[in-house]
Amino acid sequence: MEKTIQETAKAQAQQAAQNTVFSILIALSFSHLINDTIQSLIPAIYPIVKDSLKLSFSQIGLITLTYQLTASLLQPLVGFYTDKNPKPYSLAIGMGFTLLGLISLSQAHHFYLVLLSVALVGVGSSIFHPEASRLAYMASGGKHGMAQSLFQLGGNAGSSLGPLLAAMIIVPKGQSSISWFSLAALLAIVVMINIGSWYKNNTHRIRSKSKGADAATHTQLPKGKVIFALGILLVLIFSKYFYMASMTSYYTFYLIDKFHVSVQSAQVYLFIFLFAIAAGTFIGGPVGDRIGRKYVIWISILGVAPFSLLLPHANLLWTSVLSVFIGVILSSAFSAILVYAQELVPGKVGMIAGLFFGLAFGMGGVGSALLGKLADKTSIAYVFDVCAYLPLIGLLTGLLPDVERAGKSK
């Protein structure tokens, strides 16, 4: 009798969780929007701190490297730990680190204090992304691609807002106005505490998904092929995020140098590019659920090449137009890559999310630092000439195995 009552209660809890799935996904997407809006303020203020602190492009690259490394190195460890020990309120704790970094950055009038501030924001990101990605997986109802895309949509929308808000608020009012965004961080903490309550009451949604259950829906591959496929995915991450580093960190400088636009105008053009990424984000996941991740990865990385190759030779109008095509096409890659990797290694959702989010941030940071060095030794224009060829690495997608069962999309 007691067992029957327990089973009934569990079934009711599962049904309640299923009813709240979209509310959780939307809350996660909103949290991601605030998180990445705050983070995108870092590259958005580069022209300001470069002038006020008299920094070189190499130092700008080091700021990005510091942020990206702190945002990347901890993520696989956080994901690995919370796979075994779920921490429902870790999202709010992570945003607390981001809040501290944000306040510190608003008052940072020395290069090393800027590095410390962005490191705190990076730590917050390293806690947020693997745990939030796991929650999106939990609340997906089996539509993992759709859930990850909805989650990514919030993040990319936030990334696009950063430069626009910087142009509207930070450029005219100064670096200290960054502290105003602490109100958004506090709002995110409130939302994350509510998400944590749902997480605490629905941990069975992780524990019930055993390796065997995941294996039932995906083709099992030998260990060697899994490692090879993960290696290909890492190279594709390199291609995507090195190119993204050239755009997010140096696109404003490129426009100012080549077309002599103002700092505020350059921020608006960066917003257009980042908004295109946000607009195209939702495509990859649902389409991957439908036709398979491999095809989406192929299209989203290699498909950028014609536009990236044309961009260094375009005038200002066409540079803006090409950046929109690049953003929309490239944005669909990450959700597809992440879910593909989770299907390669079933049962390790948090660890894989942490690994790939960490690699994405790490590659972006290393790319920014190296491209900053290259820009100091050559020119910003030369950096964009070189990076134009990176999407051609997408040809390696053809070497990826098919991990999904035929007919899964139907």
Side-chain angles (χ1 to χ4, degrees):
M1 181 69 175
E2 182 179 350
K3 184 177 180 181
T4 303
I5 294 173
Q6 290 176 343
E7 289 175 350
T8 302
K10 184 177 179 180
Q12 290 174 342
Q14 289 176 332
Q15 182 61 42
Q18 186 66 29
N19 291 338
T20 61
V21 64
F22 277 103
S23 64
I24 294 301
L25 290 175
I26 291 169
L28 285 168
S29 187
F30 177 73
S31 300
H32 203 184
L33 183 147
I34 294 179
N35 184 79
D36 284 22
T37 295
I38 293 171
Q39 292 173 6
S40 67
L41 295 175
I42 295 173
I45 66 168
Y46 284 169
I48 297 172
V49 295
K50 186 178 188 295
D51 182 58
S52 64
L53 301 181
K54 303 189 185 309
L55 305 180
S56 67
F57 282 119
S58 296
Q59 287 174 307
I60 292 293
L62 283 174
I63 294 172
T64 303
L65 178 62
T66 300
Y67 162 65
Q68 302 283 31
L69 286 182
T70 54
S72 63
L73 294 178
L74 291 177
Q75 288 203 37
L77 298 177
V78 170
F80 180 77
Y81 177 74
T82 53
D83 272 335
K84 299 179 180 296
N85 306 281
K87 300 295 179 184
Y89 298 104
S90 57
L91 294 180
I93 294 171
M95 183 54 68
F97 279 98
T98 298
L99 176 61
L100 291 175
L102 192 66
I103 295 171
S104 176
L105 184 60
S106 71
Q107 304 300 318
H109 299 300
H110 190 281
F111 175 63
Y112 293 109
L113 188 52
V114 173
L115 293 183
L116 175 62
S117 301
V118 300
L120 286 170
V121 177
V123 170
S125 177
S126 70
I127 297 172
F128 174 79
H129 283 98
E131 277 295 85
S133 181
R134 176 210 309 286
L135 272 160
Y137 195 94
M138 285 171 59
S140 68
K143 297 179 180 178
H144 305 311
M146 179 277 297
Q148 289 296 333
S149 284
L150 183 56
F151 172 62
Q152 287 296 110
L153 177 63
N156 287 336
S159 296
S160 71
L161 287 175
L164 187 63
L165 293 173
M168 294 171 58
I169 299 173
I170 299 173
V171 172
K173 297 185 180 297
Q175 185 179 340
S176 61
S177 63
I178 295 172
S179 61
W180 293 2
F181 293 91
S182 61
L183 296 175
L186 290 171
L187 174 60
I189 288 174
V190 172
V191 174
M192 289 171 177
I193 289 173
N194 289 327
I195 294 173
S197 298
W198 181 88
Y199 187 176
K200 184 178 180 179
N201 294 326
N202 290 276
T203 53
H204 63 271
R205 293 174 68 93
I206 310 174
R207 292 167 182 160
S208 63
K209 292 180 182 297
S210 66
K211 291 184 180 181
D214 285 336
T217 58
H218 300 100
T219 302
Q220 296 301 287
L221 297 173
K223 184 177 180 181
K225 285 190 175 181
V226 170
I227 293 173
F228 176 76
L230 289 174
I232 294 294
L233 293 177
L234 298 186
V235 175
L236 296 175
I237 287 285
F238 159 80
S239 168
K240 172 180 166 62
Y241 282 94
F242 258 60
Y243 187 82
M244 286 289 289
S246 72
M247 295 294 287
T248 56
S249 293
Y250 301 109
Y251 186 47
T252 53
F253 296 111
Y254 173 76
L255 295 174
I256 292 168
D257 178 69
K258 184 172 181 178
F259 302 112
H260 310 292
V261 301
S262 68
V263 172
Q264 282 182 302
S265 296
Q267 297 287 6
V268 172
Y269 282 109
L270 179 58
F271 163 74
I272 291 171
F273 167 69
L274 295 175
F275 184 80
I277 287 180
T281 297
F282 198 69
I283 297 173
V287 173
D289 285 336
R290 186 74 180 169
I291 68 171
R293 326 287 175 206
K294 181 176 175 179
Y295 300 106
V296 173
I297 297 169
W298 185 290
I299 295 168
S300 63
I301 295 182
L302 186 60
V304 171
F307 304 101
S308 66
L309 290 168
L310 285 172
L311 187 138
H313 310 288
N315 60 25
L316 180 59
L317 173 62
W318 280 105
T319 295
S320 178
V321 172
L322 290 170
S323 74
V324 171
F325 282 102
I326 290 169
V328 169
I329 297 170
L330 194 60
S331 62
S332 61
F334 187 75
S335 294
I337 289 174
L338 177 59
V339 177
Y340 181 96
Q342 288 172 335
E343 291 169 350
L344 274 175
V345 190
K348 301 290 183 182
V349 175
M351 186 189 74
I352 291 296
L355 176 64
F356 276 82
F357 273 110
L359 283 167
F361 280 88
M363 289 294 183
V366 171
S368 183
L370 293 178
L371 294 176
K373 284 277 190 183
L374 182 61
D376 280 335
K377 291 184 177 180
T378 56
S379 68
I380 285 291
Y382 183 74
V383 167
F384 277 75
D385 285 335
V386 171
C387 290
Y389 294 92
L390 287 173
L392 292 174
I393 294 175
L395 288 167
L396 293 177
T397 306
L399 300 177
L400 290 174
D402 294 318
V403 298
E404 298 153 313
R405 287 182 180 275
K408 181 184 173 210
S409 62
K410 296 182 180 179

